[in-house]
């Protein structure tokens, strides 16, 4: 999934939070009724203060508005798990850095990319990794390691 960002000066914030987030949540909740769900992608939100280098400075800016963070929390409240944060509640790792400012060199970034899974299959998650050692983009890859036999039980 690629979730749209709120845009400069949050011009798309209402679309993002009142339409996109609502429709995405409705869709994954509906899928969850039929089969286990794993959602992966750039969700364009830093959920917690630990998920970005400068939370105070970025408060209210796109990817860190109250509305975006509340909608992310609603998804978790519907029976989904942020796999990385669940496994590593205090680890500071980012998946996105601003190319313009060269923030990757100083590791001043944002965690915007996620593996979100159905709570019912979380026991099958062996690891959720952020591959910040991989260069080539303003984002880095993320990796989910599953024990399929555990999930199929």
């Amino acid at each position: 999934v690629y979730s749209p960002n709120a845009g400069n000066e949050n011009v798309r914030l209402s679309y993002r939070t009142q339409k996109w987030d609502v429709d995405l949540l409705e869709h994954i909740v509906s899928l969850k009724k039929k089969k286990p769900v794993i959602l992966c992608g750039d969700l364009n939100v830093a959920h917690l203060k630990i998920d970005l280098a400068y939370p105070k400075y970025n408060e209210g800016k796109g990817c860190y508005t109250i509305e975006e963070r509340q909608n992310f929390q609603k998804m978790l409240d519907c029976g989904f798990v942020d796999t990385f944060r669940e496994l590593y509640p205090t680890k500071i790792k980012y998946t996105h850095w601003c190319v313009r400012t060269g923030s990757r060199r100083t590791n001043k970034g944002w965690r915007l990319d996620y593996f979100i899974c159905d709570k019912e299959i979380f026991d099958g998650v062996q690891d959720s990794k952020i591959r910040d050692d991989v260069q080539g983009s303003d984002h880095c890859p993320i990796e989910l390691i599953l024990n399929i036999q555990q999930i199929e039980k």
Side-chain angles (χ1 to χ4, degrees):
V1 168
Y2 174 79
S3 293
N5 65 43
N8 291 335
E9 299 181 21
N10 294 333
V11 295
R12 291 189 302 269
L13 181 63
S14 63
Y15 167 73
R16 160 65 194 264
T17 59
Q18 296 171 23
K19 178 76 174 132
W20 174 269
D21 289 348
V22 171
D23 289 349
L24 177 62
L25 181 57
E26 181 180 302
H27 180 65
I28 63 174
V29 166
S30 159
L31 280 177
K32 188 175 174 229
K33 292 175 184 171
K34 300 173 189 168
K35 59 186 174 183
V37 173
I38 299 173
L39 175 71
C40 174
D42 176 356
L43 300 185
N44 267 314
V45 60
H47 179 225
L48 304 171
K49 288 179 182 179
I50 192 173
D51 295 324
L52 71 163
Y54 299 110
K56 261 193 169 160
Y57 174 79
N58 287 294
E59 183 76 42
K61 294 180 180 173
C63 299
Y64 197 62
T65 65
I66 290 169
E67 297 91 339
E68 290 164 310
R69 291 181 284 147
Q70 285 174 338
N71 282 356
F72 189 93
Q73 186 59 51
K74 282 180 192 172
M75 181 170 47
L76 301 181
D77 293 343
C78 285
F80 295 95
V81 177
D82 172 354
T83 61
F84 179 82
R85 190 54 64 215
E86 188 72 18
L87 293 170
Y88 304 103
T90 61
K91 189 176 252 187
I92 296 173
K93 290 275 240 177
Y94 305 120
T95 64
H96 167 78
W97 302 264
C98 180
V99 173
R100 256 188 345 265
T101 62
S103 63
R104 192 163 192 173
R105 286 189 307 262
T106 56
N107 196 34
K108 303 299 182 200
W110 301 63
R111 188 170 75 97
L112 302 178
D113 303 270
Y114 297 84
F115 275 106
I116 304 295
C117 80
D118 188 325
K119 260 185 191 172
E120 294 175 16
I121 63 168
F122 182 72
D123 286 345
V125 173
Q126 291 183 321
D127 206 354
S128 186
K129 297 181 179 185
I130 293 176
R131 299 291 312 277
D132 54 1
D133 58 315
V134 177
Q135 302 285 320
S137 172
D138 60 338
H139 289 258
C140 70
I142 58 175
E143 179 180 353
L144 188 67
I145 300 171
L146 301 170
N147 178 335
I148 298 299
Q149 288 79 22
Q150 182 73 27
I151 291 171
E152 291 176 340
K153 286 183 179 180

